Short mmCIF file of all heavy atoms in Angstrom, two decimals:
data_model
loop_
_atom_site.label_atom_id
_atom_site.label_comp_id
_atom_site.label_asym_id
_atom_site.label_seq_id
_atom_site.Cartn_x
_atom_site.Cartn_y
_atom_site.Cartn_z
N ASP N 27 -15.26 -69.00 -113.59
CA ASP N 27 -14.26 -68.25 -114.52
C ASP N 27 -13.46 -69.47 -115.18
O ASP N 27 -12.50 -69.87 -114.54
CB ASP N 27 -13.47 -67.41 -113.47
CG ASP N 27 -12.68 -66.47 -114.44
OD1 ASP N 27 -12.60 -66.59 -115.60
OD2 ASP N 27 -11.93 -65.68 -113.75
N TRP N 28 -13.92 -69.67 -116.37
CA TRP N 28 -13.23 -70.87 -117.08
C TRP N 28 -12.39 -70.19 -118.24
O TRP N 28 -12.69 -69.24 -118.91
CB TRP N 28 -14.33 -71.80 -117.78
CG TRP N 28 -15.17 -72.46 -116.70
CD1 TRP N 28 -15.07 -72.43 -115.28
CD2 TRP N 28 -16.20 -73.51 -116.97
NE1 TRP N 28 -16.01 -73.25 -114.73
CE2 TRP N 28 -16.70 -73.85 -115.87
CE3 TRP N 28 -16.69 -73.95 -118.24
CZ2 TRP N 28 -17.72 -74.88 -115.65
CZ3 TRP N 28 -17.80 -74.83 -118.17
CH2 TRP N 28 -18.24 -75.37 -116.92
N GLY N 29 -11.37 -71.04 -118.64
CA GLY N 29 -10.53 -70.66 -119.82
C GLY N 29 -9.42 -69.91 -119.36
O GLY N 29 -9.11 -69.62 -118.25
N SER N 30 -8.78 -69.26 -120.59
CA SER N 30 -7.53 -68.54 -120.33
C SER N 30 -7.79 -67.19 -119.87
O SER N 30 -8.75 -66.45 -120.17
CB SER N 30 -6.88 -68.49 -121.78
OG SER N 30 -5.82 -67.46 -121.64
N LYS N 31 -7.14 -66.73 -118.93
CA LYS N 31 -7.32 -65.38 -118.31
C LYS N 31 -6.94 -64.31 -119.28
O LYS N 31 -7.12 -63.15 -119.20
CB LYS N 31 -6.54 -65.20 -116.98
CG LYS N 31 -6.92 -66.15 -115.92
CD LYS N 31 -8.36 -65.97 -115.52
CE LYS N 31 -8.81 -66.92 -114.30
NZ LYS N 31 -8.91 -68.19 -114.76
N GLU N 32 -6.09 -64.79 -120.33
CA GLU N 32 -5.71 -63.85 -121.35
C GLU N 32 -6.72 -63.71 -122.54
O GLU N 32 -6.57 -62.89 -123.31
CB GLU N 32 -4.30 -64.34 -122.01
CG GLU N 32 -3.30 -64.43 -120.94
CD GLU N 32 -3.12 -63.19 -120.12
OE1 GLU N 32 -3.02 -62.02 -120.74
OE2 GLU N 32 -2.91 -63.18 -118.88
N GLY N 33 -7.70 -64.65 -122.52
CA GLY N 33 -8.69 -64.64 -123.62
C GLY N 33 -9.75 -63.52 -123.61
O GLY N 33 -9.95 -62.98 -122.41
N GLN N 34 -10.36 -63.18 -124.60
CA GLN N 34 -11.43 -62.13 -124.51
C GLN N 34 -12.53 -62.74 -123.77
O GLN N 34 -13.04 -63.85 -123.84
CB GLN N 34 -11.89 -61.96 -125.93
CG GLN N 34 -13.00 -60.88 -125.91
CD GLN N 34 -13.60 -60.58 -127.26
OE1 GLN N 34 -13.02 -61.01 -128.24
NE2 GLN N 34 -14.67 -59.69 -127.48
N PRO N 35 -13.04 -61.90 -122.77
CA PRO N 35 -14.01 -62.50 -121.80
C PRO N 35 -15.46 -62.37 -122.42
O PRO N 35 -15.86 -61.52 -123.22
CB PRO N 35 -14.04 -61.59 -120.63
CG PRO N 35 -13.35 -60.22 -121.23
CD PRO N 35 -12.61 -60.61 -122.25
N VAL N 36 -16.17 -63.54 -122.23
CA VAL N 36 -17.56 -63.75 -122.54
C VAL N 36 -18.33 -63.98 -121.22
O VAL N 36 -18.05 -64.86 -120.43
CB VAL N 36 -17.85 -64.84 -123.52
CG1 VAL N 36 -19.27 -64.82 -123.91
CG2 VAL N 36 -16.99 -64.73 -124.76
N VAL N 37 -19.21 -63.03 -120.83
CA VAL N 37 -19.84 -63.04 -119.55
C VAL N 37 -21.37 -63.29 -119.84
O VAL N 37 -22.19 -62.72 -120.55
CB VAL N 37 -19.79 -61.78 -118.75
CG1 VAL N 37 -20.55 -61.73 -117.60
CG2 VAL N 37 -18.40 -61.41 -118.58
N PHE N 38 -21.78 -64.56 -119.13
CA PHE N 38 -23.22 -65.08 -119.44
C PHE N 38 -24.16 -64.74 -118.26
O PHE N 38 -23.79 -64.77 -117.09
CB PHE N 38 -23.04 -66.61 -119.50
CG PHE N 38 -22.29 -67.15 -120.74
CD1 PHE N 38 -20.78 -67.16 -120.73
CD2 PHE N 38 -22.95 -67.40 -121.88
CE1 PHE N 38 -20.13 -67.69 -121.85
CE2 PHE N 38 -22.21 -67.85 -123.10
CZ PHE N 38 -20.89 -68.01 -122.96
N SER N 39 -25.41 -64.46 -118.64
CA SER N 39 -26.34 -64.20 -117.58
C SER N 39 -27.60 -65.18 -117.88
O SER N 39 -28.06 -65.28 -118.95
CB SER N 39 -26.85 -62.76 -117.65
OG SER N 39 -25.99 -61.84 -117.07
N HIS N 40 -27.90 -65.95 -116.92
CA HIS N 40 -28.86 -67.10 -117.09
C HIS N 40 -30.32 -66.61 -117.02
O HIS N 40 -30.67 -65.48 -116.52
CB HIS N 40 -28.53 -68.21 -116.07
CG HIS N 40 -28.70 -67.78 -114.58
ND1 HIS N 40 -30.02 -67.61 -114.03
CD2 HIS N 40 -27.92 -67.54 -113.69
CE1 HIS N 40 -29.80 -67.32 -112.78
NE2 HIS N 40 -28.49 -67.21 -112.52
N GLY N 41 -31.24 -67.58 -117.31
CA GLY N 41 -32.64 -67.27 -117.27
C GLY N 41 -33.21 -67.64 -115.92
O GLY N 41 -32.57 -68.28 -115.05
N TRP N 42 -34.58 -67.50 -115.87
CA TRP N 42 -35.41 -67.84 -114.61
C TRP N 42 -35.81 -69.29 -114.73
O TRP N 42 -36.15 -69.60 -115.91
CB TRP N 42 -36.62 -66.95 -114.67
CG TRP N 42 -37.61 -67.34 -113.51
CD1 TRP N 42 -37.79 -66.93 -112.24
CD2 TRP N 42 -38.63 -68.27 -113.74
NE1 TRP N 42 -38.79 -67.46 -111.66
CE2 TRP N 42 -39.47 -68.36 -112.50
CE3 TRP N 42 -39.13 -69.08 -114.71
CZ2 TRP N 42 -40.48 -68.97 -112.39
CZ3 TRP N 42 -40.22 -69.88 -114.62
CH2 TRP N 42 -40.99 -69.90 -113.42
N PRO N 43 -35.77 -69.97 -113.74
CA PRO N 43 -35.15 -69.71 -112.38
C PRO N 43 -33.85 -70.40 -112.18
O PRO N 43 -33.68 -71.20 -111.17
CB PRO N 43 -36.38 -70.35 -111.52
CG PRO N 43 -36.78 -71.51 -112.29
CD PRO N 43 -36.57 -71.23 -113.73
N LEU N 44 -33.08 -70.37 -113.10
CA LEU N 44 -31.88 -71.23 -113.39
C LEU N 44 -30.62 -70.82 -112.67
O LEU N 44 -30.73 -69.92 -111.77
CB LEU N 44 -31.61 -71.54 -114.77
CG LEU N 44 -32.91 -72.19 -115.52
CD1 LEU N 44 -32.72 -72.24 -116.98
CD2 LEU N 44 -33.33 -73.51 -114.97
N THR N 45 -29.51 -71.35 -113.12
CA THR N 45 -28.22 -70.95 -112.54
C THR N 45 -27.20 -70.87 -113.68
O THR N 45 -27.53 -71.14 -114.87
CB THR N 45 -27.73 -71.98 -111.47
OG1 THR N 45 -27.20 -73.12 -112.15
CG2 THR N 45 -28.76 -72.34 -110.37
N SER N 46 -25.96 -70.59 -113.31
CA SER N 46 -24.87 -70.62 -114.34
C SER N 46 -24.78 -71.90 -114.89
O SER N 46 -24.16 -71.95 -116.11
CB SER N 46 -23.65 -70.11 -113.62
OG SER N 46 -23.25 -70.88 -112.63
N ASP N 47 -25.11 -73.02 -114.24
CA ASP N 47 -24.96 -74.21 -114.92
C ASP N 47 -25.64 -74.43 -116.15
O ASP N 47 -25.18 -75.33 -116.94
CB ASP N 47 -25.66 -75.35 -113.92
CG ASP N 47 -24.84 -75.54 -112.70
OD1 ASP N 47 -23.79 -75.01 -112.49
OD2 ASP N 47 -25.34 -76.33 -111.75
N ASN N 48 -26.68 -73.68 -116.41
CA ASN N 48 -27.42 -73.68 -117.80
C ASN N 48 -26.48 -73.37 -119.02
O ASN N 48 -26.99 -73.56 -120.08
CB ASN N 48 -28.77 -72.93 -117.71
CG ASN N 48 -29.68 -73.54 -118.74
OD1 ASN N 48 -29.99 -74.81 -118.72
ND2 ASN N 48 -30.25 -72.66 -119.53
N TRP N 49 -25.38 -72.67 -118.70
CA TRP N 49 -24.59 -72.17 -119.65
C TRP N 49 -23.30 -73.11 -119.87
O TRP N 49 -22.47 -72.71 -120.78
CB TRP N 49 -23.95 -70.78 -119.28
CG TRP N 49 -25.02 -69.62 -119.57
CD1 TRP N 49 -25.54 -68.71 -118.64
CD2 TRP N 49 -25.49 -69.22 -120.76
NE1 TRP N 49 -26.29 -67.90 -119.16
CE2 TRP N 49 -26.41 -68.13 -120.53
CE3 TRP N 49 -25.49 -69.78 -122.18
CZ2 TRP N 49 -27.15 -67.52 -121.43
CZ3 TRP N 49 -26.21 -68.99 -123.13
CH2 TRP N 49 -26.98 -67.96 -122.82
N GLU N 50 -23.28 -74.22 -119.35
CA GLU N 50 -21.98 -75.12 -119.29
C GLU N 50 -21.61 -75.46 -120.72
O GLU N 50 -20.46 -75.61 -121.04
CB GLU N 50 -22.21 -76.26 -118.24
CG GLU N 50 -23.27 -77.23 -118.77
CD GLU N 50 -23.43 -78.32 -117.78
OE1 GLU N 50 -22.72 -78.23 -116.59
OE2 GLU N 50 -24.06 -79.38 -118.07
N ILE N 51 -22.49 -75.68 -121.57
CA ILE N 51 -22.05 -76.23 -122.90
C ILE N 51 -21.47 -75.04 -123.60
O ILE N 51 -20.41 -75.27 -124.30
CB ILE N 51 -23.35 -76.65 -123.71
CG1 ILE N 51 -23.96 -77.94 -122.97
CG2 ILE N 51 -22.89 -77.06 -125.17
CD1 ILE N 51 -25.17 -78.46 -123.66
N GLN N 52 -22.04 -73.92 -123.51
CA GLN N 52 -21.50 -72.71 -124.18
C GLN N 52 -20.16 -72.34 -123.63
O GLN N 52 -19.19 -71.91 -124.32
CB GLN N 52 -22.41 -71.57 -124.30
CG GLN N 52 -23.60 -71.67 -125.20
CD GLN N 52 -24.66 -72.69 -124.83
OE1 GLN N 52 -25.02 -72.78 -123.66
NE2 GLN N 52 -25.23 -73.52 -125.67
N MET N 53 -20.04 -72.32 -122.25
CA MET N 53 -18.82 -71.94 -121.52
C MET N 53 -17.74 -72.93 -121.95
O MET N 53 -16.56 -72.30 -122.20
CB MET N 53 -19.12 -71.97 -120.01
CG MET N 53 -20.11 -70.76 -119.61
SD MET N 53 -20.25 -70.77 -117.83
CE MET N 53 -18.52 -70.28 -117.27
N PHE N 54 -18.01 -74.10 -121.88
CA PHE N 54 -16.92 -75.17 -122.29
C PHE N 54 -16.41 -74.94 -123.65
O PHE N 54 -15.25 -74.92 -123.89
CB PHE N 54 -17.49 -76.55 -122.06
CG PHE N 54 -16.44 -77.68 -122.36
CD1 PHE N 54 -15.47 -77.97 -121.35
CD2 PHE N 54 -16.34 -78.37 -123.54
CE1 PHE N 54 -14.52 -78.96 -121.70
CE2 PHE N 54 -15.42 -79.33 -123.82
CZ PHE N 54 -14.50 -79.58 -122.81
N PHE N 55 -17.45 -74.74 -124.60
CA PHE N 55 -17.02 -74.62 -125.88
C PHE N 55 -16.19 -73.34 -126.18
O PHE N 55 -15.13 -73.53 -126.85
CB PHE N 55 -18.30 -74.45 -126.82
CG PHE N 55 -18.11 -74.14 -128.23
CD1 PHE N 55 -17.73 -75.15 -129.12
CD2 PHE N 55 -18.34 -72.93 -128.75
CE1 PHE N 55 -17.50 -74.88 -130.63
CE2 PHE N 55 -18.09 -72.55 -130.02
CZ PHE N 55 -17.65 -73.65 -131.07
#
């Protein structure tokens, strides 16, 4: 759960057979 708790939430679902780590570039951005 990254970023401002007041910001609009963007919730990511990863692909097979990966983890949430695969979204780290988009999440950080």
